[in-house]
Amino acid sequence: MTSPWGALRTLGREGCFALGFFTRCPLPATLNVEVFEVDPARTLVWAPWVGALLGGFTGWVGKCVAVFLPPSVAVWVMLALYALLGWSLHLDGWSDLADGWGSGQRGEAMRRIMKDSRVGGFGALALLLAAGLWTSAGATISPERWSSTLALAGALGRFALASAAFFGTYPWQTGLGKRFVEGFDGPCLARTVVVVFPLALLNPFLWVLGMPATFAVGALFAFASRRWIGGTSGDILGAAAVGGELLAVLLAAGI
């Protein structure tokens, strides 16, 4: 039986791995955790909090920038910072999925196109769409609310990623998403909901609307990818995170 101290150490390693894996933030050597030290699927539980930290910090910086620049300009500064901190990791999957879908191919042919490191026309258009929606919606929100709103939107986007992992299947022998998708079961999903629950304090109405909405987004990406390429790859998880977050930001702009 695992001791309370051992359980806390495991949770700490999972959280540190999630912070290092889902961001491009430099971590002290003492916080670096290798993939063989944790169960990757269980680290997805902490992905929403990683999104909340990145979004909250980005919103705070944007609020400071808005003191000197118009909000319509400050929001683009926020986008650049947010992408550099880690959103670009998910945007990569978003653009890869767009290129694969736009190719008209399905099955393994579509998956090969998605794995190509080059960005095609559909991928570039998807990136422009994501940037445009994020900044347009963000500019309609008061800078005073940026930090709390973007923190919750970041968490909800990663909750969509967790939902996609839960509903997804991984039929391939190798791939980045294999250990994340295969091991993310019902208990992991339940833990994720519990972990995200305190973030409702940031914006209760957005939380109530966003949780089921982004859960549905993740499920939609998982089921669609099963039809398109035969399963849920790492690119699909990243695309689900972007789709969920864009929906959350749009919801925030409308309430």
Side-chain angles (χ1 to χ4, degrees), residues 2-253:
T2 305
S3 67
W5 174 243
L8 286 175
R9 287 188 62 188
T10 299
L11 291 176
R13 285 197 297 268
E14 291 172 357
C16 288
F17 177 83
L19 188 61
F21 187 82
F22 291 109
T23 75
R24 280 297 171 260
C25 302
L27 297 179
T30 54
L31 295 182
N32 283 324
V33 176
E34 301 296 333
V35 67
F36 59 82
E37 299 180 64
V38 295
D39 178 353
R42 290 171 63 91
T43 65
L44 285 185
V45 171
W46 301 105
W49 268 97
V50 173
L53 291 173
L54 295 186
F57 176 71
T58 299
W60 177 78
V61 171
K63 176 183 174 181
C64 295
V65 172
V67 173
F68 307 98
L69 296 174
S72 58
V73 177
V75 74
W76 281 95
V77 176
M78 287 199 302
L79 175 65
L81 175 62
Y82 191 45
L84 288 173
L85 289 176
W87 202 39
S88 54
L89 299 173
H90 305 306
L91 287 171
D92 182 63
W94 174 260
S95 64
D96 285 344
L97 176 59
D99 275 334
W101 181 84
S103 70
Q105 303 292 321
R106 294 296 180 264
E108 189 58 33
M110 177 176 171
R111 185 166 176 256
R112 282 197 300 270
I113 293 170
M114 291 172 61
K115 292 171 68 176
D116 193 326
S117 60
R118 294 168 296 183
V119 178
F122 281 93
L125 183 60
L127 291 174
L128 287 174
L129 178 64
L133 287 175
W134 197 93
T135 54
S136 297
T140 68
I141 301 169
S142 168
E144 298 296 325
R145 295 173 50 211
W146 276 349
S147 188
S148 60
T149 299
L150 294 181
L152 186 51
L156 290 172
R158 277 66 173 187
F159 183 64
L161 184 155
S163 172
F166 174 70
F167 287 106
T169 58
Y170 201 91
W172 308 289
Q173 293 299 314
T174 60
L176 183 61
K178 183 178 178 66
R179 296 180 66 185
F180 291 97
V181 173
E182 287 187 341
F184 196 82
D185 53 12
C188 286
L189 181 64
R191 287 180 61 207
T192 308
V193 174
V194 172
V195 164
V196 177
F197 185 79
L199 295 173
L201 296 174
L202 296 174
N203 188 327
F205 193 35
L206 178 59
W207 190 91
V208 169
L209 289 176
M211 284 292 286
T214 52
F215 182 74
V217 166
L220 177 63
F221 272 86
F223 291 131
S225 68
R226 194 174 303 175
R227 179 180 178 184
W228 292 336
I229 61 174
T232 300
S233 65
D235 280 336
I236 299 298
L237 295 181
V242 174
E245 184 158 356
L246 290 177
L247 177 58
V249 174
L250 291 173
L251 288 172

